[in-house]
Every structure is written in C-alpha cells, then in structure tokens.
Amino acid sequence: NCLTCSATATNCTSCSATKGWLNFACYSTCPNGYYMNLPNCTICDSLCYTCNNTATNCSVCQTVAPNIAYLSGTTCVTNCPVG
C-alpha cells in the first residue's frame, strides 16, 4: 500500500495518489475521526465521530463524555437548538 516506506514495507512515508496517509499507514478510507484530505487523513472536529470533506462537516457526533454532541444539519453541537 505504501508508495514509499522506511525500515519495513508497512512503515509508509507516502502513499499513492488515491490513498490517505496517517501514522505511517495508507488508507483507502480514513478511520473514524478522520476525513480524506489527500495526501493525508486529517482529524475531524473533536465533537465529530465521523466527518466528510472538512473537519466540521459531521455525519455522526461523539457519544462519549466529555464530548457528547448532537447533529444539527452537518454540525455537531453540545446543546440542542431551540425548536
């Protein structure tokens, strides 16, 4: 999966153009808590469990204290909006 590596074949220093790099590994789909921001997997906002395209475009919110949040559109909020 690595484009280039160091020391071992699985210790990636870069990935192919369609994969995201995170912690010396290459991903076709970034792990939960990260989004694809080629050439890397980039961390989501702390209230997002999963996000897409940007750190704050959340699809699922955190459900574990202290970051319990609720989805309002594509944003995770700590208090439900009025209405």
Side-chain angles (χ1 to χ4, degrees):
N1 284 330
C2 301
L3 183 62
T4 59
C5 57
S6 176
T8 68
T10 58
N11 189 41
C12 304
T13 54
S14 69
C15 306
S16 66
T18 58
K19 296 188 185 282
W21 181 87
L22 176 67
N23 296 330
F24 300 98
C26 297
Y27 294 89
S28 296
T29 302
C30 295
N32 288 334
Y34 295 83
Y35 68 97
M36 190 68 72
N37 185 22
L38 294 173
N40 301 308
C41 289
T42 302
I43 196 164
C44 298
D45 180 81
S46 63
L47 295 178
C48 297
Y49 181 69
T50 60
C51 63
N52 299 302
N53 303 319
T54 70
T56 56
N57 184 21
C58 306
S59 50
V60 178
C61 300
Q62 293 288 354
T63 57
V64 178
N67 291 329
I68 296 173
Y70 309 94
L71 194 60
S72 178
T74 59
T75 303
C76 291
V77 295
T78 55
N79 296 307
C80 289
V82 176

